[in-house]
Amino acid sequence: MAYETVIVETRGNVGLITLNRPQALNALNSTVLKELKQAFADFHDNEAIGAIVLTGSERAFAAGADIKEMQPLQFADMYKAEFISGWDEIAKARKPVIAAVSGFALGGGCELAMMCDFIIASDTAKFGQPEITLGVIPGMGGSQRLTRMVGKSKAMDMVLTGRMMDAAEAERAGLVSRVVAPERLLDEALAAADKIASLSQPSVLMAKEAVNRALETTLEEGLRFERRLFHSLFATEDQKEGMAAFIEKRKPAFKHR
Ligand code: CAA
């Protein structure tokens, strides 16, 4: 497929998607969503791909949902089309997705970064949920995911005032996992993705499922779920290989089965 708003590449066993609407600071419109869904589906179907990196430009990861596209829409249009629900597909990607964020990650841009499994930020990154300044509220999960990630007080502060937080504050708050210099951002994210892609895919997919379950269920259920997944990995060839390789002091040769 020829893409207009994203650049889709592979780097070894890593899928790399770069948001590419520089004239609109990568604002997320319906074309971006359609193309991202396609790129994610292709990487999902490609067995060689073990992890995905999603990035933007140095100036902006994404400055939000496209305000120009949304401005004329009426309640009935949005309600009937279940506007924005398509983004759930991105959030439900089974393979690990790392957001590499430089510059603005605002509104839907911050929400898209939070749909990824973790965020690596450059020290120029600025996160925010400024929807309140437009007379609306976050619509792609900001009030829910941000609250789970940084707690009620900071989420309320961000969502009610619309202020931005810089990379250092985002790291302190637990929104991002690492902060690096802008010129290191992509290499750092690709190296992390490459490491994940080198591991046994069944265990990687289950690890992602298990961590995500922690956000959705009680501790007791979560522990039971984790334990069952842990047990089930003993049915894989890769568990035998991974543990044998440790004992024999060699690198494992995972077959992803
Ligand atoms: N939608 C559409 N276009 C956008 C945009 C957006 N979210 N953000 C920036 N742009 C466009 C600007 O309109 C401008 O285009 P023109 O040159 O054609 O006027 C271009 O990108 C560059 O932007 P600025 O000139 O504003 O750049 P700046 O450096 O002065 O400011 C900024 C940068 C602070 C990020 C500012 O652009 C801004 O505040 N953007 C909007 C941020 C925002 O409110 N995001 C939330 C959107 S609503 C949402 O996301 C809802 C949801 O939860 C689903």
Side-chain angles (χ1 to χ4, degrees), residues 21-28 59 63-70 83-84 104 106-109 111 129-131 133-134 136-142 164:
R21 286 189 78 206
Q23 71 289 0
L25 299 183
N26 292 333
L28 306 169
R59 187 159 170 231
D66 192 313
I67 299 168
K68 293 168 189 166
E69 188 181 68
M70 284 185 295
F83 188 75
I84 279 175
F104 298 111
L106 301 178
E111 292 166 307
Q129 297 292 160
E131 292 89 343
T133 66
L134 301 168
V136 292
I137 66 167
M140 281 166 56
M164 295 184 208

Side-chain angles (χ1 to χ4, degrees), residues 7-17 43 46 48-49 190:
I7 299 167
V8 180
E9 302 162 76
T10 53
R11 301 282 176 93
N13 297 109
V14 174
L16 172 62
I17 304 174
F43 283 145
N46 182 346
I49 296 297
L190 287 170

Side-chain angles (χ1 to χ4, degrees), residues 1-8 17-41 54-57 60-67 69 83-84 86-91 108-109 112-113 115 140:
M1 168 170 174
Y3 293 103
E4 261 176 66
T5 62
V6 297
I7 299 167
V8 180
I17 304 174
T18 308
L19 298 166
N20 186 35
R21 286 189 78 206
Q23 71 289 0
L25 299 183
N26 292 333
L28 306 169
N29 65 8
S30 39
T31 309
V32 178
L33 173 58
K34 191 175 87 193
E35 295 188 349
L36 272 183
K37 284 206 287 197
Q38 186 62 53
F40 269 72
L54 177 61
T55 195
S57 68
F61 176 73
D66 192 313
I67 299 168
E69 188 181 68
F83 188 75
I84 279 175
W87 291 94
D88 291 351
E89 242 178 83
I90 307 294
L112 176 58
M115 287 177 204
M140 281 166 56

Side-chain angles (χ1 to χ4, degrees), residues 199-218:
L199 303 171
S200 167
Q201 204 173 91
S203 65
V204 164
L205 298 182
M206 286 195 199
K208 172 168 171 164
E209 265 193 274
V211 173
N212 279 333
R213 188 60 70 97
L215 298 171
E216 288 161 11
T217 192
T218 61

Side-chain angles (χ1 to χ4, degrees), residues 81 152 185 225 248:
K152 177 182 164 186
L185 178 67
F225 183 71
E248 292 159 18

